Amino acid sequence: MGSPNLEAVDWIWHDGEFVSWNDAQIHVLATAVQFGTSVFEGIRAYDTPNGPAIFRLDAHIRRLFDSARIYRMEPPNFTPDDIAAVAKEIVLKNDLSNCYIRPMVLRGYGAPGLNPLNSPIETYVAAWPWGAYLGEDGLAAGVDVCVTSWQRAHPNTFPARAKAGGQYVNAQLMKMEALLNGFVDAIALGPGGLVSEGTGMNIFLVREGVIITPVLDGTSLVGITRNAVIQMAKDLGYEVQSEPVPRESLYTADEIFFTGTAAEVTPVRSVDHIPVGEGKAGPITLSLQKYFMETVRAENEDSHGYLTYVTG
Ligand SMILES: Cc1ncc(COP(=O)(O)O)c(C=O)c1O
């Protein structure tokens, strides 16, 4: 059920050196393992006519360091520029083109109790080939999802703007519930009962030609793809609104789609078994998906400076 295993490559970067994939090990009693103290990013590189290009590398590195700062674990020996350079190198060193890049900063083996401050901060950057997150069929035809019974955390409990490993136990509860009930993924409500986001993606609705996305209310991740897709939608001449979205809007939308580094632009064709619009990927969704894929593959002009070429 769900995703296949990770596709191993040769090298992972750890605190300044490349180690072989199988040697990138961590102690079972590391603070990150016991208590979830890691922050991470998910970044994609795409094949282009000028070699692999990383989509929005600077924004991802900024968010990694923001997450690390929130959790008081900024890498002591590496700057954002260093990690951005490693993100390019890891693609080259593993001879990858279309791939997913995973920088992680974590608290290693050290302190026995809850205080993480005395556990060493370790930084890793991995990469591997990864296709469509919710399946090729899902990208083309749309996915069937539910509203999960688990909620996103209240602001000022788990900081939603930080992408921290421990926070994803909540998303995993949602994902398992969805899969075991026959859905591909789930939409989460925030603590106030309004639509927040998907398990690992942001959400958009389309109603009478207007593109709507939930406000950033401190219960969702500030998606880098979300931001790019809003810009792309405006470039294509669509009206985009960010507003509070009640659950029932999901059942009456003409179109729904997810955005995320992993999910890219994935149409949603049903929610809780209610068809979205005509029960298939909608025209605005597909036009945005097309524009997004053309942009990441450098088939459009990169007018917003989204691409970083790994050999550049
Ligand atoms: C909870 C959550 N929401 C949204 C997203 C989408 O964010 P982005 O577009 O920056 O990948 C992600 C993926 O990182 C996520 O984990």
Side-chain angles (χ1 to χ4, degrees):
M1 170 170 288
S3 336
N5 289 335
L6 263 169
E7 196 176 322
V9 296
D10 291 336
W11 301 103
I12 289 179
W13 183 92
H14 175 213
D15 282 342
E17 56 190 47
F18 288 99
V19 295
S20 76
W21 179 276
N22 288 329
D23 290 336
Q25 305 277 354
I26 189 165
H27 197 280
V28 67
L29 294 178
T31 300
V33 178
Q34 292 197 71
F35 302 117
T37 328
S38 67
V39 296
F40 66 101
E41 270 306 315
I43 312 173
R44 271 195 197 263
Y46 292 89
D47 202 16
T48 80
N50 294 319
I54 302 176
F55 185 63
R56 306 211 60 189
L57 176 61
D58 292 347
H60 283 285
I61 298 296
R62 173 72 202 257
R63 191 169 66 187
L64 178 73
F65 277 74
D66 287 349
S67 299
R69 181 169 291 199
I70 292 167
Y71 277 95
R72 303 176 196 272
M73 53 191 288
E74 280 178 275
N77 301 318
F78 303 104
T79 65
D81 284 349
D82 293 336
I83 304 303
V86 174
K88 291 161 59 172
E89 271 178 68
I90 197 80
V91 176
L92 284 170
K93 177 99 176 161
N94 285 303
D95 206 14
L96 290 161
S97 56
N98 289 305
C99 65
Y100 192 77
I101 305 166
R102 165 77 81 231
M104 297 174 72
V105 182
L106 56 83
R107 289 281 184 182
Y109 175 81
L114 266 186
N115 172 8
L117 293 171
N118 296 322
S119 294
I121 296 166
E122 299 186 30
T123 307
Y124 289 83
V125 183
W128 62 86
W130 207 7
Y133 178 60
L134 297 176
E136 286 295 339
D137 288 356
L139 267 188
V143 291
D144 300 308
V145 305
C146 60
V147 174
T148 169
S149 64
W150 297 100
Q151 286 184 349
R152 295 280 306 170
H154 199 284
N156 208 29
T157 56
F158 298 93
R161 283 179 188 229
K163 200 166 162 57
Q167 295 178 205
Y168 280 78
V169 290
N170 175 248
Q172 290 182 62
L173 288 169
M174 296 171 182
K175 183 84 184 181
M176 289 188 290
E177 180 187 43
L179 290 173
L180 293 170
N181 285 325
F183 298 100
V184 169
D185 216 294
I187 298 166
L189 307 180
L194 299 175
V195 174
S196 177
E197 61 174 347
T199 55
M201 50 264 174
N202 294 109
I203 188 167
F204 288 77
L205 292 71
V206 179
R207 170 99 182 175
E208 292 176 358
V210 178
I211 299 173
I212 298 157
T213 191
V215 281
L216 296 172
D217 60 356
T219 70
S220 56
L221 190 72
V222 180
I224 291 166
T225 319
R226 175 189 186 276
N227 169 275
V229 164
I230 290 172
Q231 185 60 56
M232 289 176 192
K234 289 179 179 165
D235 291 350
L236 291 174
Y238 294 114
E239 187 184 339
V240 186
Q241 290 174 3
S242 183
E243 60 185 45
V245 175
R247 174 179 184 164
E248 58 273 24
S249 303
L250 299 170
Y251 306 131
T252 56
D254 300 327
E255 302 181 30
I256 297 179
F257 60 91
F258 288 130
T259 64
T261 299
E264 299 165 313
V265 178
T266 300
V268 174
R269 69 177 178 191
S270 74
V271 180
D272 294 336
H273 300 297
I274 299 178
V276 177
E278 293 173 14
K280 57 183 190 184
I284 293 180
T285 305
L286 290 177
S287 75
L288 275 168
Q289 185 191 60
K290 179 168 180 287
Y291 193 75
F292 176 84
M293 294 313 299
E294 287 170 356
T295 303
V296 299
R297 293 176 183 143
E299 292 162 11
N300 293 332
E301 195 196 335
D302 185 16
S303 50
H304 300 291
Y306 287 156
L307 303 185
T308 300
Y309 290 89
V310 302
T311 50

